[in-house]
Amino acid sequence: YNIDDFLGKDWSAMEYKVKEIKQGIKVHLINNDKFKTNLIAVFLTTELNRENVTKNAIIPAILRRGSENMPTQEAISREMEEMYGASFNCGVDKRGDNQILKFYMETINDNFLPDSSENMLGKSIDKILEIIFNPLVKNNGFCDEYVEQEKENLKQIINGKIDNKASYAMERCIEEMYKNQPFALYKFGYIDDLDVLNGTNLYEYYNQLIQNCKIDIFVSGIVDDSVYDKIIDNAKIELLKPRVPDFVMPSLAVTANNNGQVVTESMDITQGKLVLSLNVGLDSEDQQYDVMIYNSILGGTASSKLFQNVREKASLAYSAGSNFMRAKNTIFISCGIEIKNYERALDIIRQQLVQMVDGDFSDQDVAVAKKSLVDSIRTIDDEQDTEVLYLFGQEFSGGFMGFSEYIDRVSRVTRGDVLAVAKKIGTDMDTIFFLKG
């Protein structure tokens, strides 16, 4: 394996173009003949805050229930069936201090349909924009029946977050680490907020949202520049005003400083969940690639220090690994352990951090980490949705990096670079969260 073999090659057949059709509203074209489908993705990005987090979480669920011209979920489903089995989905996510309302529609590309005058790409663009920007309105508000039903559904989702203990422990670590900060907010919101929501006040908020949020419309498939005109000429897009969108670009600053706080929580479980956080102060955006390799060596692969020493050699963990969250400059270490092994596991994890600071890793470790990261980069364009999400992520980086450039940047990371960030990260943990029996 030689990374040089991959440099200078275009690992995607795509041609990528971006056009800002109004201030704060961008259309992204991904011309790619690798797939037989078109994927349309619309992302509404807004700043995370306690007042609106629950409203943002429920709005996609209400919009999918029906639009002005497709007033029921059944009507939307019938329309999808008539479009050769098209699919529509939506949801909500969190990226840094932003909340993102996500909408997807996948349809077969016109090139693979029987000869017909119908423009399937154009029709699918109209349908997804119809669902998002032309909702069903009754008495100057969303349908109260839909709102009440989706409030109950969202309540179940929020209550159900404890069902997956590993993700629950991660959420709790984030809550404690970023207490009183936007990133601590749960992306699905809070049950306490649901009682006051109704069709009228939610619709009023929805109208504020779509006139102020950052809007990104991605169209992936065999497409050309005519898509721009199709979207610009859409009646609902015409009604949207230019805006200075209320979203937050990530920064290099460390925003949490808890000095190794320890938080424990008890639950009726047999396997403990341990989550630790490390602050990562970057001197430059370029240094994030050094941190990616550091994280891979520490706990990002099956050959990593955490996996080998905590799980394999000491047999203290059912699972052990780490993840670099670039949007918040944080590394999270997660382990599933027997509750009695808490102190031993914590001690061995600290030993691995000390080893990283002391340079107890080899050039071969760096090469293996590079290979793992390059392999993951090469799979980005295997699926349309992962390709779209990668390009959407570029919106938050202040520029665009193609796959070949990404691989090239990873290839230039040296052992010295990794050691430099290891010393910068150090061995001090910000927050330790332990979910025990």
Side-chain angles (χ1 to χ4, degrees), residues 270-273 315-318 336-343 345 434:
T270 56
Q271 184 186 126
K273 301 297 180 183
S315 299
L316 292 178
Y318 303 98
I337 62 174
E338 288 189 32
I339 296 164
K340 65 181 182 181
N341 290 333
Y342 169 72
E343 292 292 348
F434 185 46

Side-chain angles (χ1 to χ4, degrees), residues 92 216 280 365 426:
V92 65
D216 291 278
V280 180
D365 293 327

Side-chain angles (χ1 to χ4, degrees), residues 48 150-151 160 202 238 240 275 330 386:
L48 261 172
E150 293 305 330
K151 283 166 63 174
L202 264 177
E238 288 180 345
L240 296 175
V275 182
T330 307
T386 55

Side-chain angles (χ1 to χ4, degrees), residues 45-60:
T45 304
T46 188
E47 189 172 352
L48 261 172
N49 62 62
R50 184 64 177 80
E51 180 184 0
N52 298 325
V53 64
T54 309
K55 298 173 190 175
N56 291 327
I58 201 171
I59 280 175

